[in-house]
Amino acid sequence: MIVSLGMLEYHAHRRAQFLYPATGLIEVSTADGEWVIPPSCGVWIPEQVAHETRMLNVSTRSLYIEPAAAPRQGNRCEVLRVTPLLRQLLLEAVDVPLEYDLNGRDGSLMQLILHEVARAEPLPF
């Protein structure tokens, strides 16, 4: 998704979200704080956490993860370092269909993304 300038009012998802700005900046606001996310990072948003996003010249990648499969625990947002491997995996995941073979290549790709998000270093933003 490419967004020149946009704002999504406060909302929440039933699934966790990992939001990554491949280009540009994203500002995320919650009741706990505000973060500006550059392309070297992503933001982990747990399920049911109300958040608002502002985007400027952004190309985003967003994963929505079922709560039972969430690789991170807690109910607060975290800014995570995106390694070169995780970045490439996220870019590749764009072509994965909504319904994919869990035991095939796409399933392996998504499992590896979950492992990389789980081990991603939280940053003190």
Side-chain angles (χ1 to χ4, degrees):
M1 169 192 235
I2 297 176
V3 177
S4 292
L5 176 62
M7 185 163 116
L8 295 172
E9 299 289 334
Y10 273 95
H11 64 286
H13 307 281
R14 73 168 187 83
R15 297 174 289 180
Q17 179 181 16
F18 184 69
L19 181 58
Y20 170 66
T23 62
L25 296 173
I26 298 174
E27 183 179 321
V28 176
S29 300
T30 71
D32 293 325
E34 294 187 6
W35 302 270
V36 176
I37 315 302
S40 60
C41 302
V43 62
W44 174 256
I45 305 169
E47 72 273 3
Q48 301 302 329
V49 171
H51 59 284
E52 177 181 70
T53 57
R54 289 185 246 2
M55 300 178 231
L56 179 61
N57 297 323
V58 170
S59 173
T60 64
R61 303 298 183 270
S62 194
L63 300 174
Y64 294 95
I65 303 163
E66 291 293 336
R72 301 188 79 82
Q73 302 303 310
N75 59 0
R76 299 185 94 165
C77 292
E78 294 181 280
V79 176
L80 304 176
R81 181 179 312 282
V82 172
T83 63
L85 174 59
L86 181 53
R87 175 182 165 74
Q88 287 308 122
L89 293 169
L90 291 166
L91 296 176
E92 185 68 23
V94 169
D95 296 326
V96 173
L98 186 58
E99 298 288 326
Y100 58 87
D101 179 3
L102 295 175
N103 297 312
R105 179 190 181 274
D106 291 340
S108 296
L109 173 67
M110 299 311 289
Q111 283 298 312
L112 185 52
I113 288 173
L114 293 178
H115 286 294
E116 290 301 303
V117 170
R119 68 185 295 268
E121 175 188 359
L123 299 171
F125 275 52

